[in-house]
Amino acid sequence: MRIDVITIFPEYLAPLRQSLLGKAAERGLVSIGVHDLRQWTDDVHRTVDDAPYGGGPGMVMRPEPWGRALEAVRPPGTRLVVPTPAGRPFTQAMAAEWATEPGLVFACGRYEGIDQRVADWAADAGPVSEVSIGDYVLAGGESAVLVMVEAVTRLLPGVVGNRESVEFDSHADGLLEGPSYTRPASWRGHDVPPVLLSGDHAAIARWRRAESLRRTAARRPDLLAALAEGALTDAERDQ
Ligand SMILES: COC(=O)c1ccnc(N)c1
């Protein structure tokens, strides 16, 4: 998979070359390009932003540098991802879908965002996803890109050693993962649930499913409602 990131802070994306991602890149499973937006500016001050039409606080990123950058970096048909607090929620399902695609281009916005015409114009050359990683505002999209690139690349075949650990992730089946334990069996007065020491794999699987449902009901009832809705729709379709 090819991943390109366009940003005015290329050094912010240095962690992409570390650890899991670094190894994946070394093994040719993913190739990453980080590009400084300012190389596509057209003035001596390398200006990337301007005052917002209609007034209001802050600055908006100008469309011209972005247009030239995307024409230079984005292969036709490649998904453009624009991290923004005003985007659709980024989900594990999105990560799984994007992991099957040949490439991704990420546009990191600063200030009050990027002139909307960039996303609108870019939609003519391929899918554009304006996505949020949560209900909070950051100074720029770079942190969100680190999050999304990690979520996507860990799903690429060969990146995570034990494939099962990916398939039993939280959100992989629409539920939160239950609690995990390792040795010692008793620690500071806290014991590992006996079923996990029983060797009864059917009972262990039932217990894990129950804990996953219990935790999801307690922490993310919205996920449980969505799962129920989906199950009901499937049942109605089968009638
Ligand atoms: C500038 O970008 C953001 O503030 C941002 C991007 C993606 N998700 C968010 N929750 C915020």
Side-chain angles (χ1 to χ4, degrees):
M1 174 180 237
R2 171 74 188 179
I3 294 176
D4 286 287
V5 185
I6 304 170
T7 169
I8 58 171
F9 291 111
E11 67 282 0
Y12 202 104
L13 281 303
L16 288 183
R17 307 207 181 290
Q18 313 303 322
S19 71
L20 178 74
L21 262 177
K23 288 191 181 57
E26 281 163 25
R27 288 160 47 203
L29 298 169
V30 62
S31 66
I32 296 178
V34 178
H35 312 272
D36 186 342
L37 176 69
R38 294 190 193 275
Q39 67 181 301
W40 288 283
T41 52
D42 51 3
D43 63 311
V44 68
H45 299 295
R46 310 183 79 192
T47 311
V48 293
D49 64 312
D50 199 344
Y53 273 122
M59 302 286 271
V60 176
M61 297 190 94
R62 300 168 52 225
E64 298 98 325
W66 280 106
R68 288 191 283 265
L70 289 170
E71 282 172 335
V73 169
R74 184 191 185 200
T78 300
R79 181 181 302 275
L80 173 66
V81 179
V82 184
T84 167
R88 295 176 189 279
F90 178 63
T91 63
Q92 187 72 18
M94 262 186 206
E97 180 189 351
W98 295 359
T100 66
E101 297 177 1
L104 294 170
V105 174
F106 290 88
C108 297
R110 310 290 299 183
Y111 313 110
E112 300 308 308
I114 304 172
D115 186 301
Q116 185 60 43
R117 290 169 293 180
V118 174
D120 297 346
W121 162 79
D124 293 338
V128 176
S129 300
E130 296 182 68
V131 291
S132 167
I133 60 167
D135 293 336
Y136 41 80
V137 180
L138 304 167
E142 285 80 5
S143 308
V145 169
L146 291 175
V147 166
M148 291 190 275
V149 167
E150 180 163 340
V152 171
T153 53
R154 68 185 292 277
L155 298 178
L156 296 175
V159 173
V160 173
N162 174 359
R163 187 83 198 138
E164 271 199 350
S165 69
V166 169
E167 276 151 22
F168 292 94
D169 272 349
S170 278
H171 301 286
D173 60 358
L175 295 174
L176 301 184
E177 203 171 357
S180 299
Y181 303 89
T182 186
R183 289 177 296 185
S186 186
W187 176 74
R188 296 190 179 189
H190 295 268
D191 297 342
V192 170
V195 67
L196 295 180
L197 310 178
S198 69
D200 180 341
H201 297 295
I204 290 168
R206 285 194 303 273
W207 180 87
R208 282 178 166 160
R209 178 74 176 173
E211 285 301 305
S212 177
L213 286 164
R214 186 199 319 274
R215 177 175 278 185
T216 306
R219 299 178 181 178
R220 290 295 304 277
D222 58 303
L223 291 179
L224 218 49
L227 206 68
E229 178 65 32
L232 281 171
T233 306
D234 292 349
E236 280 152 14
R237 188 173 47 240
D238 296 344
Q239 273 173 2

